[in-house]
Amino acid sequence: MASERAIEISQPGLATTVQDRGRIRYYDLGIPQGGALDQYSAELANALVGNRDGEALLECTYLGPVLRAHGSLEVAVTGAPVPVKVNGEERPQWTRLALADGDELSFGYIGGGSRYFLAFSGGIDVPAVLGSRSTYLLGALGGFRGRKLEPGDVVPIGAPANPPPGDTVAEEHRPVFGPQQQVRVMLGLYDHRLTERGLANLTEQEWTLTPVADRAGLRYDGPGVEWRERVQPFGAGSDPSNIVDAGYAVGSIQIPGGTQPIILHRDAVSGGGYAMVATVISADMDVVARAAPGTKTRFVPVDLDTALVARKDRAQRLAAAISSLG
Amino acid sequence: MSAPQTLPAQARYTWGGDEFLFVEIAEEMSLPGNLRAMGIARALAAKSLDGVVDICPANASLLIRFDPDVVAPADLETTVRELETATQRQSSTVLSTRIIEVPVWYDDPYTREVGARFREGYHQDPSGNDLDYAARINDLDGAAEFIQRHHTNPWIVSMVGFVAGLPFLFQLVGRDKQLEVPKYLSPRTDTPKLTVGHGGCFACIYSVRGAGGYQMFGIAAAPIFDPAQKLADFADSMVFFRPGDVVKFTPVSEEEYRAIEAEVAAGTFRYRIVPVEFDTERAVADPEAYNATLLEVLRGK
């Protein structure tokens, strides 16, 4: 038993799930993309232990797990700043750590952000479902038995690959987990349904992330917005923020009732009847994923060309961080 | 009551960030709008364009996910606009689809219990239940008449989404016969699996247990999402419904519901499914007469 490569969960933490790059091509069936919420941090965790990018790892939310190594394993912890402990002794984050058979890995309180990632050399070895090992909780699909980890779970780890020569991600390549964020968005979808003042509130005022934030969506508090008054189209519903149910872009922002904007993230429902007025650009989805409740946020409108440049820039930054490990 | 209107000459194109193209066929719901969204989706799928990741037809719109590293957004938009024009010109209005009988236990104890738990602060009429409320605001005699109206005429799956495999359904009747109810004032945190819900003019079947804002009228007897793919009807896909499926709800008693439950547990349950050529022009021109022929197809006459 002990020679099998696995991790045994002593305490599961608040919401620890298996995630990878995500499950695409099933959105038309209502199955969300899922995947690690902060993909940049997740990919660097994989790179540190020599995994292919997109390998399955653990995503921990706020309160992390306590787990025990079966067999000798290498692990890297990236994402939100958190004290990492091996057998109670503090170890650094953003670096490759060796675990001997029976070693205990545990965590302190996070010092910003909301999610951190644990990649093990060889990856979490659960079956891929519809092309992904990500956990889709609502559908009880993928991941470890389609659910969050629970005490006593023994989670298999795959055969290790060769790790890179470098064992630490330099400071300059690590993301920032601060109390303030600028999130670039593209206006569109149903933004014409807001009044000028509503639109100005969205893009010029400050918004604060509420505690109502999870893998499906993040709800913000602020000055609210105004919807244009009008006769609602047949089938849409009576509130001016209602539309005839439509597909939801991942990253899109809806404002039910005009009060609190909600950013739909990787596990969000795939469609519904609330008007979306802007969409977080793909390069900044990781930024949103790093927000903790209370984070002051400004939504900065950009155009499509700017979004495409930002997308390339993010890819180049990630590639540079990975290649810096050698 | 207003008659269904003609569709706008051109759809509205807009971006959902740098990975989504959104095409709004019309602001309001109608069968022709829904069928056009499906038509463009099918035409785009047939092109197998590199960089197109997901094609999600919806009630009166279409959401396309793409990889801008593979296909330039402007090129994708040009292609979809061409397909939109071609779809408008198509003379054929026949959709090869299937008609499916879905057994429903209306006014069941499961949705009644959850409905009773979410009244004050959630519901427009905390004193009653969802069925009585829906009957009243549709000027019907009571729950029994509402249930009758709900299952007499068939529905078309106008969109799949929200959660895995959840169908939105649009009843194949004229606008003056459409059943309309608002969503809950605030969404519930619980909805029984397989609840038959209704919001706006749309019915739905909740594929999994979870949050929901639609009024609750009954519970479907057999699964519509089966990740383990145990039942024969799920051999090809863990999701049962596809856009364009025609659905006939059939009321069942508790006894019949329990019998179906046992068949599902034994792995022997099969839905009644009959292939059908759905003639959209006839469906729009005289829904009730056309529905009679659809139901004959289902009954094998």
Side-chain angles (χ1 to χ4, degrees), chain A residues 38 94 106 109 114 136 143 192 212 248 256 296:
Chain A
D38 175 359
W94 297 96
S106 62
Y109 292 108
S114 52
Y136 173 36
H192 57 284
V212 186
Y248 285 159
K296 305 287 184 200

Side-chain angles (χ1 to χ4, degrees), chain B residues 101-179:
Chain B
E101 184 170 51
V102 174
V104 176
W105 183 8
Y106 284 100
D107 198 14
D108 65 292
Y110 305 108
T111 57
R112 228 184 285 142
E113 184 273 323
V114 172
R117 261 197 281 140
F118 293 93
R119 298 322 285 181
E120 206 69 56
Y122 289 89
H123 201 275
Q124 291 81 358
D125 179 9
S127 67
N129 69 32
D130 293 6
L131 264 170
D132 294 334
Y133 170 73
R136 192 166 63 250
I137 66 161
N138 281 278
D139 294 325
L140 302 177
D141 266 348
E145 189 184 357
F146 188 90
I147 291 169
Q148 175 75 20
R149 286 275 295 273
H150 195 264
H151 68 72
T152 300
N153 281 294
W155 305 68
I156 190 163
V157 175
S158 52
M159 171 177 172
V160 173
F162 185 65
V163 290
L166 180 147
F168 289 80
L169 303 124
F170 181 65
Q171 199 166 27
L172 296 169
V173 294
R175 185 162 293 183
D176 57 333
K177 296 272 176 55
Q178 292 280 337
L179 300 168

